[in-house]
Each structure stands twice: as structure tokens, then as C-alpha cells.
Amino acid sequence: MPIVEYDPKLFADVSEMVSQIPGPMNLAHRPFVDYYYATRESCKLYLYYSDSGKVIGALGRELVRFEYNSREVTLRIGSNWYSLQPGVGGKLSQHSLQSNPGSTALMFSGSKDTLAILHHRKWIFMPGIRGYFLNNPYNVYAGEARWRTTAKAVARRVARRRISSFAGHIPAHVSAEVTVREEFSFETDLLPKRSPFRFRMAPDAEYLSWRYNLALPFLRYRLFRILCRGAKTGYVILSDSPEKIIVAQCDGEDARALAYGILLSILEVGAKDEEPRTVFLAVSHQEMRTIFDEFGFREQRGEDLPFAFRTQPPQVETGLGTSDWLVNFDWGDNGLRPPFRDSSAKR
């Protein structure tokens, strides 16, 4: 039962496996699969074949450069971990570990089944990473009482506002200091020269131009430079779709300026919206959380966003918490989910 790396000529085999798994999956969308898993050596999809030549399991892995206290850490971010037979998922995980020495596995988000496995295997879950909503969509769940679904429908109409209506929540003195400017390419001077964050993703501009490609056919990213008193201080990348805006990735030299740069970028993207749109971001940094609260964001109900290491990464002190970390939601394939912009590939 060999394990092989995905190649575009194997998409039909992947599709056959996907057809046996319920629910929408990004693996069903060929433009995404071919781009994300077949254009860069650091991002691969491992496929487990049965003796009969069928794909019965898959595991994606992306090697990404992070920094902890300014020291480089290579994390192996997992994605699309599926198994049609018991034991296959474990073999794929072990193959990924053996094939990528010098890296530590990270799972950010995941299905209930995946998280149950991680807890059983005693992965290290980091606390304090929260999801924040502006214009919470108030999702309706199957089986809810009629009165609850009706109440949510009323709440959506009453509470949701156009993004532009939040502009007055930016203090005047901040608007005089912090500004944003949309950019259309990833230049090296976007990257911060220093960091106030103990832990952060720290790739180069070439990586950003691949992962958050501004010309993808299936998803739209928009890039903003942050300036503080006219000086370059960081960047924000937003995922922009008709239904929602996601803060995909950001970094900066000052946490306060970065938080306001994120908000100003969101206001820029939503300035002409005629209807309310949901905005979502992940955050653990305490000062940034306070700024988002004051702007109007509200925490996602429930537990922390699941963020777990397979083992303790070298030089990373996991016991110190995440209140001075910079965490963004669109790592791995978190933001690369259906519905996609193009309709050229359907399940």
C-alpha cells in the first residue's frame, strides 16, 4: 500500500475518495488542489493507495517558517487528513513525520474526529486563541427549536450593520497617525524589520506572493500596507468574498498600529458595501483583542480555536500562553474553503 505525493494527473483518484466523504471539501475543487498541493515543494498532499489502486486516505502538509523570540522554527501545518479505513490516518501521519525531519507538526482547526484523535494522542493544545466576528452570522443549526431560529433571524436583521457604519469607532487621533494603502504586489519592504510578538509566522515575500496570490481564480486576496506617521510598519492580507471578509495574514512592528491597520483595511474593503457583511479574524494578543472589542468585534461563542502541536517545538515555551502571540486564521488551508469564486470545477 504505497504512499505517494499528489500530482495533477492523480486528481481523478482523489475525486473518487472525496465522493465517499460527506460534506463540502476543498479537495473536490481541482484549481485549488492543483495550485496548493502541486506548485511548491514545501506544500504536498500525501495519498494512501490500497492494494486495489484506490485512494483511501490523504494528508496535506505545508512547511512554514515561524519565529519564536526571533529564533526560526519550522512548522508542518496539517490539512485534509482523511481516512476511509482504520489505521490509514496514523500511517499517513507517521510518513509525514519521517519525510520532513527538523519540523514540528501543527494542526490549526479541524473536524471533531480529528481533534478527538489529537487529544487521544496527547498533542499540546495552546489556550487563548479566539475567533472574533463583526456582524456575527448567527448560524442556524439542524434540530434547533423554531423559536430559536426565528430569534436568530430577527437578530440578524437588527444587529448586522454595513461595515462603513463602524468607521466612527476609530479614534480621531489614531486616524491621524495610522493609514493604509492597497498594494498590488508583495515587495520585500512590506516585511517588518522587528517584531513585538513572541510567536508569529515569519515567511519571506516570495512565500506570501505564492500563498496569498493576488491573482488566484478561485479566491480573492487583497493586500494593504500599514503606515504609522508615514513610516512603513506592516501589512494586512484580507480574503474578500461577497459573503465575508477574513483577516488572512498580517504582521507589523507595533501591535497597536497593526490592530488599527487591520480595522482600516476592513473599512477600506467594505466602504461601498450596500448590505452588511461578516468579518472574521483569529486573535490571541491581549492588546489587539482590546482594540477589536472596542471597535465592535465579538468573540465567537464556545471554546478556543483549536491550535495544537504534536510535540513541543524546539525553543518554544508552550507553558507561557499565547497573550503575546500573533496568530492569523488563514494558515494552512483554513481560508481556502468552498464556496470558491470560480465554478470551473464542481463536486
Side-chain angles (χ1 to χ4, degrees):
M1 296 185 181
I3 295 175
V4 303
E5 293 180 0
Y6 174 78
D7 181 276
K9 66 177 180 290
L10 302 177
F11 183 76
D13 295 346
V14 175
S15 293
E16 186 175 354
M17 181 197 71
V18 167
S19 68
Q20 301 175 64
I21 301 173
M25 295 174 60
N26 56 15
L27 286 182
H29 197 78
R30 182 164 194 163
F32 156 74
V33 179
D34 287 355
Y35 181 81
Y36 187 59
Y37 291 118
T39 61
R40 191 177 179 90
E41 188 62 30
S42 62
C43 193
K44 297 294 182 181
L45 180 68
Y46 299 126
L47 304 176
Y48 191 103
Y49 276 83
S50 68
D51 289 337
S52 61
K54 305 293 186 181
V55 174
I56 57 174
L59 172 61
R61 69 99 177 104
E62 184 185 347
L63 301 176
V64 185
R65 184 184 188 277
F66 283 75
E67 285 189 357
Y68 184 89
N69 281 338
S70 300
R71 294 172 293 189
E72 181 175 350
V73 178
T74 300
L75 296 182
R76 189 174 71 254
I77 304 178
S79 62
N80 283 310
W81 193 16
Y82 294 103
S83 171
L84 299 181
Q85 290 184 11
V88 169
K91 292 178 181 178
L92 284 164
S93 178
Q94 188 65 23
H95 176 82
S96 181
L97 170 64
Q98 294 174 347
S99 300
N100 301 280
S103 64
T104 302
L106 166 67
M107 190 68 74
F108 186 16
S109 189
S111 68
K112 290 183 179 180
D113 290 341
T114 296
L115 298 178
I117 292 171
L118 302 189
H119 281 292
H120 177 73
R121 296 185 178 180
K122 311 229 180 280
W123 283 48
I124 303 169
F125 280 79
M126 299 303 301
I129 299 170
R130 305 293 297 180
Y132 268 45
F133 276 108
L134 192 70
N135 286 331
N136 193 316
Y138 291 99
N139 290 327
V140 175
Y141 299 97
E144 281 193 320
R146 183 180 296 275
W147 71 268
R148 288 183 62 85
T149 60
T150 301
K152 286 183 176 182
V154 172
R156 276 197 295 268
R157 290 195 296 269
V158 173
R160 287 166 59 84
R161 300 161 48 184
R162 288 186 298 175
I163 289 174
S164 59
S165 70
F166 291 90
H169 295 198
I170 302 286
H173 69 277
V174 171
S175 298
E177 293 181 0
V178 182
T179 58
V180 296
R181 184 178 72 217
E182 187 162 11
E183 301 282 347
F184 300 95
S185 63
F186 289 90
E187 306 299 333
T188 57
D189 67 347
L190 281 168
L191 304 177
K193 296 180 181 179
R194 58 184 182 277
S195 177
F197 306 107
R198 187 155 48 92
F199 174 86
R200 67 188 180 105
M201 187 171 84
D204 58 21
E206 188 275 333
Y207 170 87
L208 292 175
S209 68
W210 168 77
R211 176 58 182 79
Y212 305 102
N213 188 333
L214 303 179
L216 289 175
F218 52 85
L219 189 147
R220 186 186 188 193
Y221 285 116
R222 295 178 67 176
L223 169 66
F224 292 85
R225 182 190 297 275
I226 305 172
L227 302 106
C228 187
R229 302 183 188 92
K232 303 167 187 175
T233 188
Y235 67 88
V236 181
I237 303 169
L238 301 179
S239 173
D240 180 13
S241 71
E243 299 82 16
K244 63 183 179 296
I245 297 169
I246 296 175
V247 179
Q249 164 63 15
C250 64
D251 202 359
E253 298 180 359
D254 178 85
R256 175 178 171 276
L258 179 59
Y260 282 117
I262 290 169
L263 299 178
L264 291 169
S265 300
I266 292 168
L267 289 171
E268 183 76 15
V269 169
K272 296 181 180 180
D273 287 2
E274 296 182 358
E275 298 293 334
R277 202 165 19 151
T278 298
V279 184
F280 180 76
L281 57 83
V283 63
S284 62
H285 192 276
Q286 189 56 55
E287 183 179 8
M288 296 177 72
R289 288 177 67 164
T290 299
I291 292 171
F292 296 144
D293 283 333
E294 293 172 348
F295 185 79
F297 276 85
R298 294 295 176 260
E299 286 191 39
Q300 181 179 4
R301 290 184 179 181
E303 300 176 350
D304 295 339
L305 294 177
F307 188 102
F309 299 115
R310 179 169 181 169
T311 58
Q312 185 163 320
Q315 307 178 80
V316 174
E317 300 175 76
T318 54
L320 298 180
T322 60
S323 63
D324 55 358
W325 288 21
L326 177 62
V327 178
N328 290 291
F329 180 73
D330 197 355
W331 292 347
D333 71 333
N334 278 350
L336 301 170
R337 304 293 175 88
F340 291 112
R341 290 178 68 194
D342 58 330
S343 57
S344 59
K346 296 181 180 180
R347 180 171 172 172

